């Protein structure tokens, strides 16, 4: 039964396409400029105030959203996008839990406020965690969840009077409870001999700092009042013909025409269609291949969509262009196939994390990270442990970096976090995530969670429901969650397509004993495979390493120990990848910030790069390995084996 599920999955995917995503209300297309659309970023300095009052509710009691923030008290300058935690000198703000208030005046182009045929939308890329938004004191949106975008149509508000600007106020609460994703608990310390009155701490069960604030761009954009609300593409390949199945949703008019046009990278039209749903056929299609798997990886077509709609004001047009990569994904009992060829994930786990800005989006950091990934020869990463910025996904599409797209379901370990309330929220988060990322060819698998207590009784129903829901939303991709439970006790793994397993042999146990790694890792793989006959990814492994610490023979925390531990893993990975192991993702790409604890010397140091993105010795080891693996893949496929010489990074 289990084996059957994995095997038929690819076929079912194609058949079910079109029924998927029915549950989602409305689209969340990336806001882009076009002939019919403008965008105005509101990045820069915002006014900011943390509500330090005892109950953290002074802002609501005094209605800070009603008037400019400067009128209700002092405020700070706060950069957006950025976490608020690390930019100041006030230690209380770094660890603040509760409501913070952001405010910004935006000047609006005259046409936006006067042309009633224009729709003005406020879009917030990521506000961690719960956000309430007002425009000119009027409540316009509320959103739960820190890593996915949300929007409000503010046309009526900005077009109802002679306005040239609008005041945007956003209150954000970073408190995590057993029902949020990720979950957390607030613990009140009531022993007055030890703690002041009302003292509480935020506890979490994940290993990264709970940075908060406006982490991604806040912007205003326009569309006509009749507009392209959503586009869904799912691609397939028949012999050498690429098939692009598309579905387009329109809002604002019932009387409209849609024209679609697919262009290749040279700008030549290769296929055309009309209507809200259809299939485009591309003879001799250039497929989207992962980095290092093809001479021309990451080939992207452009799907140009034109809407012509009748509105009360006459005919309007809307234009949207979606990058499209034609590729297939399938899973067998022992392989992960991209375009029908075995794909081996050799890559990293990441975090959105850096000095000062915390989780704030930053272009230089992003470009540096992608340059490092390509230098390393990494062909994949997992968005551990939450969805990353949309711009990250776009670069993955463009560079051919394959993504396991993970939800913020990290640290689900309390019984309460398996309640119906939690499950309902998790289902909604998956809807938002699939809605946002469904069209990225780089995304090849959804991960619904990381290291949940999947041995607890309710975990079976929880993961069965969650995975089924995700598959209903998107039948075209496999679904997994990342486990560290025992293979006999795990109640969620029966429902995944690929088993992703984390282990830290000779790190969290058998400290210093690297000699046990090979046996323990081989046992791990064999146990899982014998039980499930599904492909396996080593989704985390690694060792804490303080850059510049050297010990030979290797001791824990030294660069030599990190290298040595990795080498032991690689011996077994090299055996098992010939059988059913389909990937290895190092923990972690770079050092990152965590909560303070005796095990974390200013954050987690398992990066192969420092937090400032400088390589540790292990980075060079992995670089050699990843390029070698890439060369091997190429050699397997190459008709002329003599083209593959040596293992040097520079032969590819
Ligand atoms: C894990 C977690 C990851 C941690 C890592 C560690 O298993 O998935 O979030 O940071 O271990 O370093 O302990």
């Amino acid at each position: 039964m289990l084996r059957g599920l994995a095997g038929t999955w690819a076929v079912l995917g194609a058949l079910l396409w079109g029924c998927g995503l029915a549950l989602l209300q409305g689209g969340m297309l990336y806001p882009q400029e076009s002939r019919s659309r403008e965008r105005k970023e509101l990045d820069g300095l915002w006014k900011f105030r943390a509500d330090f009052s005892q109950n953290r509710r002074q802002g609501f009691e005094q209605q800070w959203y009603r008037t400019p923030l400067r009128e209700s008290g002092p405020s700070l300058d706060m950069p957006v996008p950025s976490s608020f935690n690390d930019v100041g000198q006030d230690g209380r703000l770094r660890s603040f839990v509760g409501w913070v208030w952001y405010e910004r005046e935006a000047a609006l182009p005259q046409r936006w406020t006067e042309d009633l045929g224009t729709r003005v939308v406020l879009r917030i890329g990521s506000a961690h965690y719960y956000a309430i938004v007002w425009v000119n004191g009027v409540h316009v949106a509320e959103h739960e969840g820190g890593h996915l975008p949300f929007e409000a149509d503010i046309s009526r508000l900005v077009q109802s009077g002679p306005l040239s600007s609008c005041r945007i106020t956003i209150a954000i609460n970073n408190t995590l409870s057993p029902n949020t994703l990720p979950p957390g608990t607030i613990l009140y310390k009531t022993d007055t001999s030890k703690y002041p009155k009302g003292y509480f701490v935020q506890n979490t069960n994940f290993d990264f700092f709970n940075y908060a604030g406006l982490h991604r761009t806040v912007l205003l954009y326009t569309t006509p009042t009749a507009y392209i609300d959503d586009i869904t593409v799912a691609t397939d390949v028949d012999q050498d013909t690429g098939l692009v199945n598309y579905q387009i949703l329109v809002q604002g008019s019932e009387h409209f025409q849609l024209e679609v046009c697919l262009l290749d990278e040279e700008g030549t039209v290769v296929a055309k269609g009309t209507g809200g749903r259809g299939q485009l056929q591309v003879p001799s299609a250039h497929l989207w291949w992962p980095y290092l798997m093809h001479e021309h990886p990451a080939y992207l077509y452009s799907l140009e969509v034109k809407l012509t709609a009748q509105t009360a004001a006459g005919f309007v047009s809307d234009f949207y262009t979606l990058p499209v990569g034609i590729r297939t994904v399938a899973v067998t009992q022992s392989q992960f196939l991209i375009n029908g060829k075995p794909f081996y994930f050799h890559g990293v786990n990441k975090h959105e994390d850096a000095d000062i800005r915390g989780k704030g989006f930053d272009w230089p950091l992003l470009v540096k990270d992608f340059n490092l990934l390509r230098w390393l020869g990494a062909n994949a990463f997992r968005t551990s442990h939450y969805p990353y910025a949309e711009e990250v996904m776009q670069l993955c599409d463009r560079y051919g970096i394959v993504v396991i797209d993970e939800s913020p379901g990290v640290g689900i370990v309390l019984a309460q976090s398996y309640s119906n309330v939690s499950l309902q929220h998790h289902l909604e988060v998956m809807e938002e995530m699939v809605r946002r990322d469904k069209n990225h060819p780089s995304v090849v698998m959804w991960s619904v969670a990381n290291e949940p207590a999947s041995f607890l009784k309710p975990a079976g129903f929880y993961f069965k429901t969650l995975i089924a829901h995700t598959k209903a939303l998107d039948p075209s991709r496999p679904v997994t969650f990342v486990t560290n439970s025992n293979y006999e006790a795990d109640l969620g793994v029966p429902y995944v397509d690929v088993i992703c397993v984390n282990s830290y042999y000779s790190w969290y146990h058998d400290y210093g004993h690297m000699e046990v790694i090979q046996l323990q890792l081989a046992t791990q793989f064999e146990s899982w495979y014998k039980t499930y006959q599904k492909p396996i990814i080593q989704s985390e492994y690694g060792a804490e390493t303080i850059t510049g610490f050297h010990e030979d023979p290797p001791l824990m925390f030294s660069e030599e120990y990190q290298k040595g531990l990795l080498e032991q893993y690689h011996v077994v990975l090299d055996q098992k990848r010939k059988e059913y192991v389909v990937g290895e993702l190092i923990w972690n790409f770079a050092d990152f910030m965590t909560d303070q604890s005796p095990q974390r010397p200013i954050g987690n140091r398992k990066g192969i790069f420092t937090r400032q993105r400088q390589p540790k010795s292990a980075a060079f080891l992995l670089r050699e390995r990843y390029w070698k693996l890439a060369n091997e893949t190429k050699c397997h496929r190459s008709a002329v084996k003599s083209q593959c010489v040596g293992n040097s990074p520079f032969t590819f």
Side-chain angles (χ1 to χ4, degrees):
M1 173 63 183
L2 294 169
R3 294 167 56 184
L5 263 185
T8 52
W9 165 84
V11 182
L12 267 182
L15 290 177
L16 291 174
W17 189 84
C19 318
L21 301 167
L23 302 162
L24 298 176
Q25 299 292 315
M28 192 53 69
L29 289 174
Y30 184 73
Q32 63 173 219
E33 287 173 316
S34 76
R35 275 192 280 167
S36 56
R37 294 170 175 236
E38 291 162 89
R39 85 179 231 165
K40 181 180 170 59
E41 283 170 22
L42 301 177
D43 297 346
L45 290 187
W46 287 53
K47 292 285 165 224
F48 175 91
R49 185 184 305 145
D51 186 343
F52 282 104
S53 63
Q54 190 71 35
N55 66 1
R56 303 290 198 251
R57 296 199 57 82
Q58 193 176 23
F60 294 97
E61 286 154 11
Q62 298 181 351
Q63 303 185 331
W64 289 351
Y65 50 88
R66 286 210 154 221
T67 54
L69 217 44
R70 64 175 181 276
E71 291 178 19
S72 52
S75 62
L76 304 173
D77 282 336
M78 186 58 69
V80 173
S82 177
S83 301
F84 62 73
N85 310 79
D86 285 352
V87 295
Q89 288 304 99
D90 182 350
R92 290 181 314 152
L93 190 54
R94 184 171 191 280
S95 51
F96 182 80
V97 179
W99 290 98
V100 297
W101 293 71
Y102 283 79
E103 181 195 88
R104 155 100 198 227
E105 295 273 344
L108 302 176
Q110 196 173 8
R111 199 183 62 74
W112 293 20
T113 57
E114 290 182 357
D115 176 5
L116 299 186
T118 293
R119 180 173 155 265
V120 183
V121 183
L122 172 62
R123 191 184 207 262
I124 291 136
S126 162
H128 188 76
Y129 178 80
Y130 194 97
I132 308 178
V133 186
W134 297 263
V135 170
N136 295 330
V138 178
H139 176 280
V140 295
E142 233 167 285
H143 184 257
E144 182 175 359
H147 311 90
L148 289 160
F150 60 100
E151 297 184 342
D153 181 340
I154 61 166
S155 320
R156 275 217 204 125
L157 266 173
V158 299
Q159 290 167 349
S160 57
L163 280 177
S164 58
S165 76
C166 66
R167 180 169 44 84
I168 299 165
T169 313
I170 308 179
I172 304 175
N173 193 330
N174 60 354
T175 308
L176 299 178
S177 76
N179 303 131
T180 57
L181 275 190
T185 42
I186 295 290
L187 186 65
Y188 282 90
K189 307 257 189 176
T190 48
D191 181 345
T192 49
S193 69
K194 290 186 181 162
Y195 304 101
K197 198 167 161 270
Y199 191 86
F200 67 89
V201 287
Q202 168 82 74
N203 284 338
T204 57
N205 283 301
F206 53 82
D207 183 36
F208 54 90
F209 190 72
N210 188 31
Y211 280 114
L214 289 170
H215 283 154
R216 298 176 192 152
T217 292
V218 178
L219 58 81
L220 294 165
Y221 73 91
T222 64
T223 70
T225 46
Y227 59 97
I228 300 159
D229 183 38
D230 200 11
I231 307 171
T232 307
V233 294
T235 64
D236 207 343
V237 180
D238 181 10
Q239 312 230 9
D240 70 342
T241 302
L243 307 175
V244 178
N245 299 300
Y246 67 88
Q247 192 177 339
I248 302 163
L249 295 183
V250 170
Q251 291 287 346
S253 172
E254 309 247 296
H255 307 284
F256 59 83
Q257 281 185 343
L258 282 163
E259 291 164 58
V260 297
C261 213
L262 193 71
L263 283 75
D264 66 13
E265 284 188 352
E266 272 70 52
T268 309
V269 177
V270 293
K272 281 182 171 191
T274 53
R277 166 189 282 243
Q279 184 182 77
L280 303 178
Q281 302 196 348
V282 188
S284 309
H286 299 281
L287 301 188
W288 187 95
W289 287 99
Y291 175 53
L292 299 181
M293 204 172 167
H294 194 267
E295 292 69 23
H296 189 154
Y299 193 98
L300 290 175
Y301 291 88
S302 299
L303 185 74
E304 290 188 354
V305 179
K306 179 183 178 189
L307 164 75
T308 313
Q310 206 179 345
T311 65
F315 280 97
V316 298
S317 297
D318 188 22
F319 302 87
Y320 194 93
T321 302
L322 184 78
V324 172
I326 301 178
R327 59 112 185 86
T328 62
V329 174
V331 174
T332 71
Q333 270 182 35
S334 59
Q335 289 176 314
F336 195 99
L337 304 174
I338 296 185
N339 299 330
K341 302 267 192 280
F343 176 73
Y344 188 75
F345 297 76
H346 46 86
V348 305
N349 290 277
K350 285 186 97 262
H351 262 301
E352 290 189 320
D353 176 271
D355 287 332
I356 301 170
R357 59 190 59 68
K359 291 199 178 302
F361 179 80
D362 182 43
W363 275 114
L365 180 74
L366 185 61
V367 172
K368 178 73 179 172
D369 280 4
F370 274 84
N371 285 332
L372 287 176
L373 287 171
R374 294 196 297 172
W375 173 86
L376 199 62
N379 64 3
F381 67 78
R382 171 164 70 116
T383 67
S384 43
H385 294 310
Y386 38 80
Y388 293 177
E390 286 157 287
E391 292 80 359
V392 177
M393 313 308 280
Q394 290 163 2
L395 278 196
C396 288
D397 290 346
R398 285 181 45 204
Y399 293 155
I401 304 292
V402 166
V403 179
I404 300 173
D405 202 354
E406 187 158 280
S407 90
V410 53
I412 305 178
V413 298
L414 303 171
Q416 280 165 285
S417 301
Y418 281 109
S419 66
N420 281 342
V421 180
S422 289
L423 178 57
Q424 187 53 40
H425 179 47
H426 206 152
L427 296 175
E428 281 161 17
V429 168
M430 289 316 301
E431 289 179 24
E432 285 186 27
M433 187 171 147
V434 172
R435 175 174 66 169
R436 194 197 73 163
D437 289 348
K438 64 191 170 185
N439 291 324
H440 291 288
S442 54
V443 175
V444 298
M445 181 154 64
W446 305 109
S447 164
V448 297
N450 178 68
E451 295 191 355
S454 45
F455 48 86
L456 293 180
K457 211 168 162 218
F461 175 75
Y462 191 95
F463 285 103
K464 184 180 178 188
T465 311
L466 191 57
I467 290 172
H469 187 68
T470 308
K471 282 170 180 273
L473 293 166
D474 177 12
S476 79
R477 288 177 178 89
V479 182
T480 190
F481 74 90
V482 172
T483 185
N484 67 339
S485 298
N486 179 278
Y487 74 99
E488 287 175 311
D490 198 308
L491 300 173
V493 163
Y495 308 105
V496 303
D497 295 304
V498 175
I499 299 175
C500 289
V501 55
N502 295 346
S503 58
Y504 286 90
Y505 300 126
S506 118
W507 188 260
Y508 285 122
H509 37 80
D510 300 302
Y511 318 132
H513 290 286
M514 290 197 277
E515 67 277 12
V516 302
I517 293 176
Q518 290 191 29
L519 176 61
Q520 295 187 358
L521 186 59
T523 307
Q524 166 201 285
F525 285 141
E526 284 297 290
S527 309
W528 282 106
Y529 194 70
K530 275 197 188 121
T531 314
Y532 289 106
Q533 293 91 50
K534 294 180 186 184
I536 303 177
I537 295 176
Q538 181 68 40
S539 39
E540 284 183 29
Y541 70 111
E544 214 83 22
T545 308
I546 312 266
T547 190
F549 274 23
H550 290 287
E551 292 291 338
D552 188 27
L555 297 184
M556 290 176 83
F557 295 98
S558 69
E559 298 203 24
E560 288 73 19
Y561 193 89
Q562 187 181 36
K563 269 180 68 179
L565 184 146
L566 266 48
E567 277 165 343
Q568 292 302 310
Y569 265 79
H570 296 163
V571 173
V572 180
L573 285 163
D574 280 340
Q575 291 156 8
K576 300 298 176 192
R577 72 187 164 85
K578 298 192 181 92
E579 302 176 37
Y580 49 77
V581 169
V582 297
E584 53 187 87
L585 304 175
I586 186 74
W587 190 264
N588 189 285
F589 173 73
D591 294 346
F592 59 91
M593 190 49 72
T594 63
D595 260 351
Q596 298 180 67
S597 86
Q599 287 84 30
R600 295 286 178 259
I602 313 200
N604 185 310
R605 302 298 187 109
K606 295 196 186 72
I608 55 164
F609 296 100
T610 63
R611 202 180 191 208
Q612 295 70 37
R613 276 45 179 184
Q614 295 306 321
K616 302 180 190 173
S617 308
F620 296 97
L621 175 87
L622 275 185
R623 181 178 192 231
E624 210 182 310
R625 175 171 176 78
Y626 286 177
W627 281 93
K628 190 174 134 207
L629 288 170
N631 272 329
E632 271 181 31
T633 321
K634 196 191 170 201
C635 294
H636 283 144
R637 295 200 348 263
S638 168
V640 192
K641 288 225 173 187
S642 59
Q643 280 176 359
C644 305
V645 195
N647 298 325
S648 139
F650 309 106
T651 58
F652 200 77

